[in-house]
Amino acid sequence: MSPLSNPSQLIVRNIDLLEVEQLLIFNAFTDNLLTTVCQHAKCITAFTSNFASYQNAQKVCATTSNHTVNHHIGPWYNEAQTFDAALLFFPKSKKEFLFNIENIFAQLKSDGVVYVVGDNKGGVKSLPKLLKEYTVSVDKIDSARHCSLFAISAPKEKQAFEPEDWFSKYSFNVANTELDIYALPGVFSQTELDEGTKLLLETLATEHKTPLSGKILDFGCGAGVISAWLAKNNPKAQVTAVDVSALAVASTQKTLMEQGLDGEVFLSDGLSEITQNYHYIVSNPPFHDGVKTRYDMTEQFLRDAKSHLNSRTNKSHGLYIVANSFLKYPPIIEKTFGQCLCITKTKKFSIYQA
């Protein structure tokens, strides 16, 4: 169980604000804040779009006696319920914040309030500016440990939340393959094809002149760029995509569906939910968690990947990843796989195969 994050400590300092009948906690950090909140709010609903946070919340609440917490995970909250107050943790994307706040406004009672907490370096101080077009009041409640806490009133006119309106769309063409990508706010590759993934797809096209067959896993699928490209170019292959974010899973599902492409897409914290082996694992693995840089997620993925690959029957089978060239992944790959081939390299990115 993780110690309290700085934003969670600021909430504990103002815990009396959460002493309400119906409380919605929205995208809390992976720590044990719920243990403290359970002693104050009478009925708690914990919603998250992050699978790791969802699993952590269930573990935390399993140790909290005499209190029931309703857990929900998904790209957005859509239950028929209203709340006296909501606690929202400010996300790394400002557009994702607006997506979240409109979702919460649709669930808030007319006299309800939304408390927003976040790291000052993560952009939470921009709240008044972000909400200037909404008919709400925004008041700063407290600040400590480089974090700020705001209170936002319920909007004067309640509007329905329409998730479909929040999908962005763009097109790209790599190796004579044109695709449309659909993405929700906060998802990697939301508005354009990133340079690293483009290099990875170009390299795969060069390395494999004929279509692939067998099972292919896209780890950290984001908006579904890799999954869609693989599915379109390799119709006999079985493509599976996983991500820790329900926003990413929903985006990849829509990207595939809109183009009539097949693929299995589901939530997984790393490879935790993977139960089968694959001929290929292809990834532009993440190394950010919110506003912080974290390498341990990808390092754990690299250590675990080998156990989810079929025994090599073809020299091209195996792991393909793109990474910023400064990241020290080759030693980890070599330790796990015995070798690490750098098959493409630019000033900024490297493509590794194992």
Side-chain angles (χ1 to χ4, degrees), residues 70 107 304 351:
N70 300 310
Q107 308 292 148
D304 294 342
I351 308 296

Side-chain angles (χ1 to χ4, degrees), residues 108-288:
L108 205 61
K109 293 180 181 178
S110 59
D111 59 348
V113 61
V114 185
Y115 298 105
V116 181
V117 65
D119 192 307
N120 292 336
K121 292 183 179 179
V124 72
K125 285 186 172 182
S126 64
L127 264 185
K129 184 177 180 180
L130 286 172
L131 296 172
K132 66 180 181 180
E133 296 182 4
Y134 294 76
T135 55
V136 297
S137 62
V138 181
D139 299 304
K140 188 172 183 179
I141 302 297
D142 195 7
S143 61
R145 303 191 66 80
H146 310 291
C147 298
S148 296
L149 173 64
F150 290 85
I152 305 168
S153 65
K156 294 180 181 179
E157 295 184 7
K158 193 170 185 177
Q159 294 184 345
F161 176 65
E162 302 292 347
E164 288 294 323
D165 294 344
W166 288 87
F167 279 97
S168 62
K169 176 187 175 183
Y170 67 92
S171 302
F172 75 86
N173 189 315
V174 172
N176 297 317
T177 302
E178 186 168 351
L179 288 164
D180 296 327
I181 302 300
Y182 296 81
L184 288 167
V187 174
F188 184 68
S189 294
Q190 181 198 347
T191 58
E192 63 182 358
L193 178 64
D194 67 285
E195 185 181 345
T197 300
K198 181 175 183 290
L199 180 64
L200 175 61
L201 298 181
E202 289 172 341
T203 302
L204 288 172
T206 301
E207 290 285 310
H208 300 281
K209 300 296 185 181
T210 57
L212 303 176
S213 59
K215 297 178 180 180
I216 309 176
L217 175 66
D218 173 11
F219 172 77
C221 57
V225 171
I226 293 174
S227 297
W229 190 91
L230 288 170
K232 190 165 185 177
N233 282 286
N234 307 282
K236 292 185 178 180
Q238 301 172 44
V239 177
T240 298
V242 298
D243 203 292
V244 74
S245 166
L247 296 166
V249 166
S251 299
T252 295
Q253 288 172 332
K254 186 170 179 65
T255 292
L256 294 172
M257 180 190 68
E258 291 288 344
Q259 287 151 119
L261 298 172
D262 293 328
E264 182 182 19
V265 192
F266 56 90
L267 289 163
S268 182
D269 180 14
L271 297 174
S272 66
E273 306 305 299
I274 301 299
T275 58
Q276 57 182 305
N277 290 349
Y278 298 86
H279 296 90
Y280 305 90
I281 297 179
V282 183
S283 180
N284 183 348
F287 61 94
H288 288 101

